Structure formats: C-alpha cells, structure tokens
Amino acid sequence: PDPCSTCSTRRERSKQRKVKKRLTLAALLYLLFMTGELIGGYVANSLAIMTDALHMLTDLSGIILTLFALWLSAKSPTKRFTFGFHRLEVLSAIISVLLVYILMAFLLYEAVQRTIHMDYEINGDIMLITAAVGVAVNLIMGFLLNQSGHLHSHSHSHPHSHVPQSNSPNTARGSSHGHSSLAVRAAFVHALGDLVQSIGVLVAAYIIRFKPEYKIADPICTYVFSILVVLTTVRILCDTGVIILEGVPRHLNVDRIKEDLMKIEDVYSIEDLNVWSLTAGKTTAIVHLQLVPGSSSKWEEVQSKARQLLLHTFGMYKCSVQLQSYKQEMSKTCASCQSSSA
C-alpha cells in the first residue's frame, strides 16, 4: 500500500529543500562566473569568451526555471486559475530562450565582421586567465551537481534535460515523484558540456596568446559555440511548444494507455481520452469509459483501478475518470443531416 499523503508530502518537501539548496548554490556560482566572463571577454576583446558566457546563461536559465517550478508547485490553485500557475514556467522558458537568441545574433554579427575585416586585437593574457578560471569553475560545478544527483533515485522527465525517455510505465511512474532529481542531473550534464566548451576556449586562448597571428580562432569559437547554443535550446522550444499546444508528452504512449485501460475488468470501451501537460513533469488526463452490460454496480471499483493505473503506473499528476453504463451504439446522424442527404 502507498504511504499516507502526509508522509509523502513531508518526504517530498525534505527532498525539495535539499535540491533547492544545491541548485541555488549552483545558480549563484553560474551568475558570478558568467558576469566575470562577460567582463573578462569585454576587456580581452574576445567573442569566444562572451559566447561561452552566453552558453552558461542558458544553463543558468534552466536552473532558475527549475527553482521557479519548485516554488510554483507549492502555490495553491485559485478560483480563477484552478490548475495553479504551472504554465508560468513555460512562458519563462520561452522568454529566456528568445533573450539568448538575441544575444547570440549580436555575437554572430560581430564574429562575421571580425572574420571579414580582421581589424581587431585580443589580449591573450586576460583571455587565457579567464578561460582557465572557466575550466576550474565548471569542474567545481560538475562535482557539486554530481553529489546532489544522489539525493534520491527516482527517474522522470524535464524539458531542459535533453534525456531520452522510454514509453515504459516504469519510466512514466517516476515523472510525478522525482521531478527535482532529474533537474539536478540535467544541470550536471550541462556542466559537463560547459566544461568541454571552456576547454575549447582555453585552447583558443593558448593559441592566441602565443600565436597572435592565429586570432581567427576567436570568431571560429563563436561560430562553433553558437551551434551548441542552438542545439541546447531547440529541444526546449519543442517541448514548450508541445505543452502550449496541449500535446501528449514524449514519454507517454496514448495507445499503450488505452490498451492497459481496456484490460481493466468490466471496461467495455474507451469513449474519450485526453492527455496533456500543465508544465514539465505534471501530466494530466481525462478519460471517459463505458462499462460492460450489467456491471454498473461495480463503477467504484473500475474507477479506482483506472485512477491507480493513470496516477501510479503512468505517473499522471492529476486525472479525472468518467464512467457511464453500457449503451447500445445508436446512429450518430441527426435528423437534419438525414433529410439533407435524402
């Protein structure tokens, strides 16, 4: 049997507090070093360092959105917003990605101008120092986030995670209970990506410092890192688009859900099934079932089994199960259509 709601809530809040502390510390480190990179890149006149800071901004946005989502999850619905305020996370994600694209377009324009005219100088010493500090910070970040990744062992989905998901019920089950854990692991994966990028900047800085004639390496890094930024954010836009259009989350298979619902004893047919997400990791479902003839008295048992399936097997955040007794299928053509066809 499942633990009582009070125990589950207390345990979940304890986990969330630990995750919030880790993510808040990571966000502060990202913010401090990103600011330092922007200043160092400006002083050194290096687009590569500023593009690296831009990529770090995408990770910082992801962490802030996760903290925002955890804060929203504690807010109670209102009479006007009966589902709560979870969609604010989606709107924030879109705004942050658009901001990143605007900054990236500016840096790409500057990189093209530098490639064409080659009329710029780069302070190799400052660039090298900033890049070396970047590698060190990303190593610290990776260690911090890797340690917090073991807070608990559930698996689930998140729009910023870029982690492939299966259609198995076991995978779906974790999506409603371990939302924060994958957020930490996703941040850890991003920190590894930042580490690779920082090493690339360090190599470019080393080349420019000792071979100034190869300063073209700076705009080349900007081109490469801009591609990485696009690859990092396009998945976010796709996932937020699915949420806004109320599509089925990628980790769920509607046909599989229907098959399992039909396996419940006394279910005759599935009249309607709608599955969508309020936000990442919070999937909602409404299902309309028809009972087999003569089983109307068992509706409570059927409803309980259907809810158990949706909430615990497929990890729904909320679900509504509507039942009706068996009715022989009648012609769905109205009198007006019949007369016009005649």
Side-chain angles (χ1 to χ4, degrees), residues 231-273:
L231 294 177
T232 301
T233 55
V234 69
R235 175 74 174 272
I236 299 175
L237 289 179
C238 290
D239 287 343
T240 53
V242 170
I243 292 174
I244 291 175
L245 296 175
E246 298 188 337
V248 179
R250 68 175 71 247
H251 67 283
L252 291 177
N253 186 318
V254 172
D255 292 333
R256 177 66 180 276
I257 297 175
K258 288 183 177 180
E259 289 176 4
D260 288 356
L261 286 171
M262 287 298 298
K263 292 177 182 178
I264 298 176
E265 188 178 359
D266 297 318
V267 172
Y268 177 78
S269 67
I270 298 175
E271 297 297 305
D272 196 18
L273 173 62

mmCIF file of all heavy atoms in Angstrom, residues 231-273:
data_model
loop_
_atom_site.group_PDB
_atom_site.id
_atom_site.type_symbol
_atom_site.label_atom_id
_atom_site.label_comp_id
_atom_site.label_asym_id
_atom_site.label_seq_id
_atom_site.Cartn_x
_atom_site.Cartn_y
_atom_site.Cartn_z
ATOM 1 N N LEU A 231 21.592 23.974 -30.485
ATOM 2 C CA LEU A 231 21.265 22.570 -30.203
ATOM 3 C C LEU A 231 20.752 22.399 -28.771
ATOM 4 O O LEU A 231 19.923 21.525 -28.502
ATOM 5 C CB LEU A 231 22.502 21.691 -30.424
ATOM 6 C CG LEU A 231 23.002 21.585 -31.871
ATOM 7 C CD1 LEU A 231 24.268 20.747 -31.933
ATOM 8 C CD2 LEU A 231 21.930 20.987 -32.775
ATOM 9 N N THR A 232 21.255 23.230 -27.863
ATOM 10 C CA THR A 232 20.833 23.145 -26.467
ATOM 11 C C THR A 232 19.418 23.664 -26.271
ATOM 12 O O THR A 232 18.647 23.122 -25.468
ATOM 13 C CB THR A 232 21.799 23.944 -25.572
ATOM 14 O OG1 THR A 232 23.115 23.413 -25.723
ATOM 15 C CG2 THR A 232 21.399 23.847 -24.110
ATOM 16 N N THR A 233 19.054 24.706 -27.010
ATOM 17 C CA THR A 233 17.777 25.384 -26.762
ATOM 18 C C THR A 233 16.643 24.916 -27.662
ATOM 19 O O THR A 233 15.472 25.111 -27.318
ATOM 20 C CB THR A 233 17.952 26.900 -26.943
ATOM 21 O OG1 THR A 233 18.508 27.154 -28.249
ATOM 22 C CG2 THR A 233 18.885 27.466 -25.889
ATOM 23 N N VAL A 234 16.944 24.315 -28.812
ATOM 24 C CA VAL A 234 15.862 23.933 -29.728
ATOM 25 C C VAL A 234 14.966 22.881 -29.085
ATOM 26 O O VAL A 234 13.741 22.861 -29.307
ATOM 27 C CB VAL A 234 16.444 23.431 -31.075
ATOM 28 C CG1 VAL A 234 17.157 22.095 -30.909
ATOM 29 C CG2 VAL A 234 15.333 23.314 -32.114
ATOM 30 N N ARG A 235 15.544 21.997 -28.271
ATOM 31 C CA ARG A 235 14.734 20.992 -27.581
ATOM 32 C C ARG A 235 13.780 21.661 -26.585
ATOM 33 O O ARG A 235 12.630 21.227 -26.414
ATOM 34 C CB ARG A 235 15.659 20.006 -26.861
ATOM 35 C CG ARG A 235 14.976 18.960 -26.004
ATOM 36 C CD ARG A 235 14.315 17.884 -26.829
ATOM 37 N NE ARG A 235 13.784 16.830 -25.994
ATOM 38 C CZ ARG A 235 14.473 15.754 -25.598
ATOM 39 N NH1 ARG A 235 15.741 15.610 -25.962
ATOM 40 N NH2 ARG A 235 13.915 14.818 -24.865
ATOM 41 N N ILE A 236 14.257 22.729 -25.943
ATOM 42 C CA ILE A 236 13.411 23.453 -25.002
ATOM 43 C C ILE A 236 12.210 24.047 -25.731
ATOM 44 O O ILE A 236 11.065 23.948 -25.274
ATOM 45 C CB ILE A 236 14.205 24.568 -24.288
ATOM 46 C CG1 ILE A 236 15.357 23.972 -23.485
ATOM 47 C CG2 ILE A 236 13.298 25.397 -23.387
ATOM 48 C CD1 ILE A 236 16.258 25.010 -22.853
ATOM 49 N N LEU A 237 12.450 24.660 -26.894
ATOM 50 C CA LEU A 237 11.361 25.255 -27.661
ATOM 51 C C LEU A 237 10.367 24.201 -28.119
ATOM 52 O O LEU A 237 9.147 24.422 -28.092
ATOM 53 C CB LEU A 237 11.933 26.012 -28.865
ATOM 54 C CG LEU A 237 12.687 27.303 -28.566
ATOM 55 C CD1 LEU A 237 13.211 27.920 -29.854
ATOM 56 C CD2 LEU A 237 11.780 28.297 -27.845
ATOM 57 N N CYS A 238 10.865 23.047 -28.542
ATOM 58 C CA CYS A 238 9.973 21.972 -28.988
ATOM 59 C C CYS A 238 9.093 21.479 -27.841
ATOM 60 O O CYS A 238 7.876 21.307 -27.998
ATOM 61 C CB CYS A 238 10.794 20.811 -29.559
ATOM 62 S SG CYS A 238 11.597 21.168 -31.126
ATOM 63 N N ASP A 239 9.698 21.258 -26.674
ATOM 64 C CA ASP A 239 8.942 20.753 -25.530
ATOM 65 C C ASP A 239 7.929 21.775 -25.021
ATOM 66 O O ASP A 239 6.800 21.423 -24.676
ATOM 67 C CB ASP A 239 9.894 20.351 -24.404
ATOM 68 C CG ASP A 239 10.644 19.070 -24.721
ATOM 69 O OD1 ASP A 239 10.204 18.342 -25.622
ATOM 70 O OD2 ASP A 239 11.669 18.796 -24.081
ATOM 71 N N THR A 240 8.327 23.045 -24.980
ATOM 72 C CA THR A 240 7.382 24.069 -24.540
ATOM 73 C C THR A 240 6.257 24.245 -25.551
ATOM 74 O O THR A 240 5.108 24.505 -25.181
ATOM 75 C CB THR A 240 8.095 25.415 -24.318
ATOM 76 O OG1 THR A 240 8.834 25.766 -25.499
ATOM 77 C CG2 THR A 240 9.025 25.351 -23.145
ATOM 78 N N GLY A 241 6.577 24.071 -26.841
ATOM 79 C CA GLY A 241 5.534 24.133 -27.865
ATOM 80 C C GLY A 241 4.509 23.038 -27.690
ATOM 81 O O GLY A 241 3.292 23.266 -27.822
ATOM 82 N N VAL A 242 4.966 21.823 -27.365
ATOM 83 C CA VAL A 242 4.047 20.706 -27.122
ATOM 84 C C VAL A 242 3.157 20.999 -25.916
ATOM 85 O O VAL A 242 1.947 20.716 -25.931
ATOM 86 C CB VAL A 242 4.832 19.396 -26.907
ATOM 87 C CG1 VAL A 242 3.911 18.286 -26.416
ATOM 88 C CG2 VAL A 242 5.514 18.964 -28.201
ATOM 89 N N ILE A 243 3.728 21.596 -24.876
ATOM 90 C CA ILE A 243 2.943 21.912 -23.678
ATOM 91 C C ILE A 243 1.891 22.970 -23.985
ATOM 92 O O ILE A 243 0.718 22.842 -23.608
ATOM 93 C CB ILE A 243 3.866 22.381 -22.539
ATOM 94 C CG1 ILE A 243 4.746 21.221 -22.063
ATOM 95 C CG2 ILE A 243 3.046 22.923 -21.372
ATOM 96 C CD1 ILE A 243 5.789 21.612 -21.042
ATOM 97 N N ILE A 244 2.281 24.030 -24.709
ATOM 98 C CA ILE A 244 1.341 25.099 -25.034
ATOM 99 C C ILE A 244 0.212 24.587 -25.925
ATOM 100 O O ILE A 244 -0.957 24.953 -25.760
ATOM 101 C CB ILE A 244 2.079 26.270 -25.707
ATOM 102 C CG1 ILE A 244 2.989 26.971 -24.685
ATOM 103 C CG2 ILE A 244 1.083 27.275 -26.280
ATOM 104 C CD1 ILE A 244 3.842 28.050 -25.284
ATOM 105 N N LEU A 245 0.552 23.706 -26.875
ATOM 106 C CA LEU A 245 -0.462 23.136 -27.763
ATOM 107 C C LEU A 245 -1.192 21.960 -27.135
ATOM 108 O O LEU A 245 -2.007 21.306 -27.792
ATOM 109 C CB LEU A 245 0.197 22.693 -29.074
ATOM 110 C CG LEU A 245 0.802 23.823 -29.922
ATOM 111 C CD1 LEU A 245 1.523 23.247 -31.130
ATOM 112 C CD2 LEU A 245 -0.283 24.796 -30.373
ATOM 113 N N GLU A 246 -0.886 21.676 -25.873
ATOM 114 C CA GLU A 246 -1.535 20.609 -25.105
ATOM 115 C C GLU A 246 -1.393 19.252 -25.782
ATOM 116 O O GLU A 246 -2.343 18.465 -25.868
ATOM 117 C CB GLU A 246 -3.010 20.949 -24.849
ATOM 118 C CG GLU A 246 -3.182 22.209 -24.019
ATOM 119 C CD GLU A 246 -4.613 22.458 -23.593
ATOM 120 O OE1 GLU A 246 -5.518 21.943 -24.258
ATOM 121 O OE2 GLU A 246 -4.802 23.173 -22.590
ATOM 122 N N GLY A 247 -0.178 18.993 -26.262
ATOM 123 C CA GLY A 247 0.112 17.694 -26.855
ATOM 124 C C GLY A 247 0.483 16.668 -25.795
ATOM 125 O O GLY A 247 0.710 17.000 -24.627
ATOM 126 N N VAL A 248 0.548 15.421 -26.222
ATOM 127 C CA VAL A 248 0.923 14.335 -25.313
ATOM 128 C C VAL A 248 2.433 14.380 -25.075
ATOM 129 O O VAL A 248 3.204 14.489 -26.033
ATOM 130 C CB VAL A 248 0.528 12.966 -25.908
ATOM 131 C CG1 VAL A 248 0.944 11.833 -24.977
ATOM 132 C CG2 VAL A 248 -0.974 12.912 -26.170
ATOM 133 N N PRO A 249 2.905 14.329 -23.824
ATOM 134 C CA PRO A 249 4.348 14.313 -23.551
ATOM 135 C C PRO A 249 5.040 13.162 -24.274
ATOM 136 O O PRO A 249 4.447 12.098 -24.478
ATOM 137 C CB PRO A 249 4.421 14.139 -22.031
ATOM 138 C CG PRO A 249 3.105 14.619 -21.526
ATOM 139 C CD PRO A 249 2.105 14.289 -22.592
ATOM 140 N N ARG A 250 6.304 13.379 -24.637
ATOM 141 C CA ARG A 250 7.020 12.413 -25.463
ATOM 142 C C ARG A 250 7.226 11.069 -24.763
ATOM 143 O O ARG A 250 7.391 10.053 -25.423
ATOM 144 C CB ARG A 250 8.364 12.996 -25.910
ATOM 145 C CG ARG A 250 9.363 13.194 -24.787
ATOM 146 C CD ARG A 250 10.702 13.665 -25.303
ATOM 147 N NE ARG A 250 10.663 15.037 -25.779
ATOM 148 C CZ ARG A 250 10.819 15.384 -27.050
ATOM 149 N NH1 ARG A 250 10.998 14.452 -27.972
ATOM 150 N NH2 ARG A 250 10.795 16.640 -27.415
ATOM 151 N N HIS A 251 7.200 11.047 -23.438
ATOM 152 C CA HIS A 251 7.472 9.803 -22.733
ATOM 153 C C HIS A 251 6.226 8.941 -22.544
ATOM 154 O O HIS A 251 6.314 7.848 -21.986
ATOM 155 C CB HIS A 251 8.104 10.095 -21.361
ATOM 156 C CG HIS A 251 7.184 10.774 -20.397
ATOM 157 N ND1 HIS A 251 6.885 12.119 -20.474
ATOM 158 C CD2 HIS A 251 6.488 10.293 -19.341
ATOM 159 C CE1 HIS A 251 6.070 12.434 -19.499
ATOM 160 N NE2 HIS A 251 5.804 11.346 -18.794
ATOM 161 N N LEU A 252 5.072 9.417 -23.015
ATOM 162 C CA LEU A 252 3.835 8.652 -22.872
ATOM 163 C C LEU A 252 3.313 8.218 -24.235
ATOM 164 O O LEU A 252 3.455 8.936 -25.224
ATOM 165 C CB LEU A 252 2.764 9.489 -22.163
ATOM 166 C CG LEU A 252 3.013 9.798 -20.687
ATOM 167 C CD1 LEU A 252 1.916 10.695 -20.151
ATOM 168 C CD2 LEU A 252 3.093 8.519 -19.862
ATOM 169 N N ASN A 253 2.695 7.036 -24.255
ATOM 170 C CA ASN A 253 2.120 6.479 -25.469
ATOM 171 C C ASN A 253 0.622 6.284 -25.231
ATOM 172 O O ASN A 253 0.225 5.472 -24.397
ATOM 173 C CB ASN A 253 2.801 5.138 -25.798
ATOM 174 C CG ASN A 253 2.359 4.576 -27.137
ATOM 175 O OD1 ASN A 253 1.192 4.617 -27.484
ATOM 176 N ND2 ASN A 253 3.314 4.033 -27.884
ATOM 177 N N VAL A 254 -0.188 7.047 -25.953
ATOM 178 C CA VAL A 254 -1.632 7.003 -25.744
ATOM 179 C C VAL A 254 -2.190 5.617 -26.034
ATOM 180 O O VAL A 254 -3.076 5.125 -25.325
ATOM 181 C CB VAL A 254 -2.328 8.070 -26.614
ATOM 182 C CG1 VAL A 254 -3.849 7.907 -26.547
ATOM 183 C CG2 VAL A 254 -1.956 9.462 -26.139
ATOM 184 N N ASP A 255 -1.686 4.967 -27.082
ATOM 185 C CA ASP A 255 -2.169 3.618 -27.416
ATOM 186 C C ASP A 255 -1.891 2.637 -26.280
ATOM 187 O O ASP A 255 -2.721 1.772 -25.974
ATOM 188 C CB ASP A 255 -1.514 3.121 -28.712
ATOM 189 C CG ASP A 255 -1.974 3.907 -29.930
ATOM 190 O OD1 ASP A 255 -3.105 4.436 -29.889
ATOM 191 O OD2 ASP A 255 -1.212 4.002 -30.911
ATOM 192 N N ARG A 256 -0.720 2.775 -25.646
ATOM 193 C CA ARG A 256 -0.381 1.900 -24.518
ATOM 194 C C ARG A 256 -1.317 2.156 -23.335
ATOM 195 O O ARG A 256 -1.769 1.215 -22.655
ATOM 196 C CB ARG A 256 1.077 2.134 -24.107
ATOM 197 C CG ARG A 256 1.532 1.328 -22.895
ATOM 198 C CD ARG A 256 1.554 -0.159 -23.191
ATOM 199 N NE ARG A 256 1.978 -0.914 -22.029
ATOM 200 C CZ ARG A 256 3.253 -1.119 -21.695
ATOM 201 N NH1 ARG A 256 4.235 -0.633 -22.456
ATOM 202 N NH2 ARG A 256 3.564 -1.830 -20.633
ATOM 203 N N ILE A 257 -1.642 3.422 -23.096
ATOM 204 C CA ILE A 257 -2.564 3.748 -22.005
ATOM 205 C C ILE A 257 -3.938 3.147 -22.279
ATOM 206 O O ILE A 257 -4.567 2.567 -21.390
ATOM 207 C CB ILE A 257 -2.670 5.282 -21.835
ATOM 208 C CG1 ILE A 257 -1.303 5.869 -21.436
ATOM 209 C CG2 ILE A 257 -3.707 5.633 -20.784
ATOM 210 C CD1 ILE A 257 -1.291 7.380 -21.357
ATOM 211 N N LYS A 258 -4.398 3.263 -23.520
ATOM 212 C CA LYS A 258 -5.705 2.698 -23.874
ATOM 213 C C LYS A 258 -5.706 1.177 -23.707
ATOM 214 O O LYS A 258 -6.676 0.600 -23.202
ATOM 215 C CB LYS A 258 -6.061 3.068 -25.312
ATOM 216 C CG LYS A 258 -6.437 4.527 -25.506
ATOM 217 C CD LYS A 258 -6.844 4.808 -26.945
ATOM 218 C CE LYS A 258 -7.298 6.244 -27.126
ATOM 219 N NZ LYS A 258 -7.695 6.529 -28.521
ATOM 220 N N GLU A 259 -4.630 0.533 -24.139
ATOM 221 C CA GLU A 259 -4.557 -0.919 -24.006
ATOM 222 C C GLU A 259 -4.654 -1.344 -22.544
ATOM 223 O O GLU A 259 -5.384 -2.291 -22.199
ATOM 224 C CB GLU A 259 -3.245 -1.431 -24.607
ATOM 225 C CG GLU A 259 -3.176 -1.358 -26.125
ATOM 226 C CD GLU A 259 -1.824 -1.782 -26.653
ATOM 227 O OE1 GLU A 259 -0.974 -2.207 -25.835
ATOM 228 O OE2 GLU A 259 -1.599 -1.678 -27.869
ATOM 229 N N ASP A 260 -3.940 -0.640 -21.662
ATOM 230 C CA ASP A 260 -3.964 -1.007 -20.246
ATOM 231 C C ASP A 260 -5.320 -0.701 -19.603
ATOM 232 O O ASP A 260 -5.778 -1.437 -18.717
ATOM 233 C CB ASP A 260 -2.850 -0.278 -19.496
ATOM 234 C CG ASP A 260 -1.478 -0.836 -19.827
ATOM 235 O OD1 ASP A 260 -1.414 -1.825 -20.579
ATOM 236 O OD2 ASP A 260 -0.467 -0.291 -19.336
ATOM 237 N N LEU A 261 -5.964 0.379 -20.035
ATOM 238 C CA LEU A 261 -7.295 0.681 -19.509
ATOM 239 C C LEU A 261 -8.307 -0.376 -19.944
ATOM 240 O O LEU A 261 -9.183 -0.768 -19.171
ATOM 241 C CB LEU A 261 -7.752 2.070 -19.990
ATOM 242 C CG LEU A 261 -7.086 3.280 -19.326
ATOM 243 C CD1 LEU A 261 -7.466 4.563 -20.046
ATOM 244 C CD2 LEU A 261 -7.482 3.380 -17.852
ATOM 245 N N MET A 262 -8.177 -0.860 -21.169
ATOM 246 C CA MET A 262 -9.102 -1.883 -21.669
ATOM 247 C C MET A 262 -8.924 -3.227 -20.950
ATOM 248 O O MET A 262 -9.820 -4.063 -20.956
ATOM 249 C CB MET A 262 -8.923 -2.069 -23.173
ATOM 250 C CG MET A 262 -9.476 -0.926 -24.017
ATOM 251 S SD MET A 262 -11.257 -0.702 -23.819
ATOM 252 C CE MET A 262 -11.867 -2.282 -24.420
ATOM 253 N N LYS A 263 -7.760 -3.421 -20.332
ATOM 254 C CA LYS A 263 -7.506 -4.663 -19.602
ATOM 255 C C LYS A 263 -8.204 -4.689 -18.240
ATOM 256 O O LYS A 263 -8.285 -5.742 -17.602
ATOM 257 C CB LYS A 263 -6.001 -4.870 -19.413
ATOM 258 C CG LYS A 263 -5.249 -5.149 -20.710
ATOM 259 C CD LYS A 263 -3.753 -5.268 -20.447
ATOM 260 C CE LYS A 263 -2.979 -5.489 -21.749
ATOM 261 N NZ LYS A 263 -1.513 -5.549 -21.513
ATOM 262 N N ILE A 264 -8.696 -3.524 -17.800
ATOM 263 C CA ILE A 264 -9.411 -3.476 -16.522
ATOM 264 C C ILE A 264 -10.737 -4.217 -16.666
ATOM 265 O O ILE A 264 -11.477 -4.029 -17.632
ATOM 266 C CB ILE A 264 -9.661 -2.012 -16.096
ATOM 267 C CG1 ILE A 264 -8.318 -1.284 -15.886
ATOM 268 C CG2 ILE A 264 -10.493 -1.956 -14.815
ATOM 269 C CD1 ILE A 264 -8.474 0.189 -15.554
ATOM 270 N N GLU A 265 -11.001 -5.046 -15.713
ATOM 271 C CA GLU A 265 -12.237 -5.842 -15.742
ATOM 272 C C GLU A 265 -13.470 -4.935 -15.750
ATOM 273 O O GLU A 265 -13.513 -3.915 -15.052
ATOM 274 C CB GLU A 265 -12.276 -6.773 -14.528
ATOM 275 C CG GLU A 265 -13.421 -7.776 -14.552
ATOM 276 C CD GLU A 265 -13.399 -8.704 -13.353
ATOM 277 O OE1 GLU A 265 -12.467 -8.561 -12.522
ATOM 278 O OE2 GLU A 265 -14.299 -9.554 -13.247
ATOM 279 N N ASP A 266 -14.451 -5.289 -16.584
ATOM 280 C CA ASP A 266 -15.737 -4.603 -16.709
ATOM 281 C C ASP A 266 -15.665 -3.320 -17.534
ATOM 282 O O ASP A 266 -16.648 -2.571 -17.594
ATOM 283 C CB ASP A 266 -16.347 -4.273 -15.331
ATOM 284 C CG ASP A 266 -16.659 -5.536 -14.533
ATOM 285 O OD1 ASP A 266 -17.178 -6.493 -15.132
ATOM 286 O OD2 ASP A 266 -16.360 -5.555 -13.321
ATOM 287 N N VAL A 267 -14.539 -3.028 -18.175
ATOM 288 C CA VAL A 267 -14.465 -1.895 -19.102
ATOM 289 C C VAL A 267 -14.824 -2.387 -20.500
ATOM 290 O O VAL A 267 -14.180 -3.292 -21.040
ATOM 291 C CB VAL A 267 -13.060 -1.255 -19.107
ATOM 292 C CG1 VAL A 267 -12.959 -0.205 -20.212
ATOM 293 C CG2 VAL A 267 -12.765 -0.614 -17.756
ATOM 294 N N TYR A 268 -15.875 -1.791 -21.075
ATOM 295 C CA TYR A 268 -16.339 -2.206 -22.401
ATOM 296 C C TYR A 268 -15.636 -1.429 -23.516
ATOM 297 O O TYR A 268 -15.220 -1.995 -24.520
ATOM 298 C CB TYR A 268 -17.855 -2.016 -22.503
ATOM 299 C CG TYR A 268 -18.425 -2.360 -23.857
ATOM 300 C CD1 TYR A 268 -18.633 -3.690 -24.228
ATOM 301 C CD2 TYR A 268 -18.755 -1.352 -24.768
ATOM 302 C CE1 TYR A 268 -19.142 -4.008 -25.471
ATOM 303 C CE2 TYR A 268 -19.268 -1.670 -26.014
ATOM 304 C CZ TYR A 268 -19.465 -2.999 -26.367
ATOM 305 O OH TYR A 268 -19.968 -3.299 -27.605
ATOM 306 N N SER A 269 -15.496 -0.108 -23.325
ATOM 307 C CA SER A 269 -14.860 0.716 -24.359
ATOM 308 C C SER A 269 -14.347 2.007 -23.748
ATOM 309 O O SER A 269 -14.733 2.391 -22.635
ATOM 310 C CB SER A 269 -15.852 1.036 -25.488
ATOM 311 O OG SER A 269 -16.894 1.872 -25.010
ATOM 312 N N ILE A 270 -13.473 2.656 -24.498
ATOM 313 C CA ILE A 270 -12.948 3.968 -24.102
ATOM 314 C C ILE A 270 -13.574 4.996 -25.036
ATOM 315 O O ILE A 270 -13.269 5.042 -26.229
ATOM 316 C CB ILE A 270 -11.414 4.015 -24.204
ATOM 317 C CG1 ILE A 270 -10.795 2.985 -23.254
ATOM 318 C CG2 ILE A 270 -10.900 5.410 -23.876
ATOM 319 C CD1 ILE A 270 -9.294 2.868 -23.379
ATOM 320 N N GLU A 271 -14.477 5.778 -24.492
ATOM 321 C CA GLU A 271 -15.178 6.757 -25.311
ATOM 322 C C GLU A 271 -14.285 7.954 -25.650
ATOM 323 O O GLU A 271 -14.377 8.512 -26.732
ATOM 324 C CB GLU A 271 -16.433 7.246 -24.570
ATOM 325 C CG GLU A 271 -17.458 6.155 -24.305
ATOM 326 C CD GLU A 271 -18.022 5.578 -25.587
ATOM 327 O OE1 GLU A 271 -18.535 6.342 -26.415
ATOM 328 O OE2 GLU A 271 -17.918 4.349 -25.759
ATOM 329 N N ASP A 272 -13.423 8.330 -24.722
ATOM 330 C CA ASP A 272 -12.580 9.516 -24.940
ATOM 331 C C ASP A 272 -11.388 9.459 -23.994
ATOM 332 O O ASP A 272 -11.505 8.988 -22.861
ATOM 333 C CB ASP A 272 -13.389 10.800 -24.694
ATOM 334 C CG ASP A 272 -12.705 12.026 -25.280
ATOM 335 O OD1 ASP A 272 -11.816 11.845 -26.144
ATOM 336 O OD2 ASP A 272 -13.061 13.147 -24.879
ATOM 337 N N LEU A 273 -10.236 9.936 -24.473
ATOM 338 C CA LEU A 273 -9.029 10.009 -23.650
ATOM 339 C C LEU A 273 -8.217 11.226 -24.065
ATOM 340 O O LEU A 273 -7.845 11.360 -25.236
ATOM 341 C CB LEU A 273 -8.176 8.750 -23.796
ATOM 342 C CG LEU A 273 -6.802 8.779 -23.106
ATOM 343 C CD1 LEU A 273 -6.954 8.929 -21.592
ATOM 344 C CD2 LEU A 273 -5.998 7.522 -23.444
#
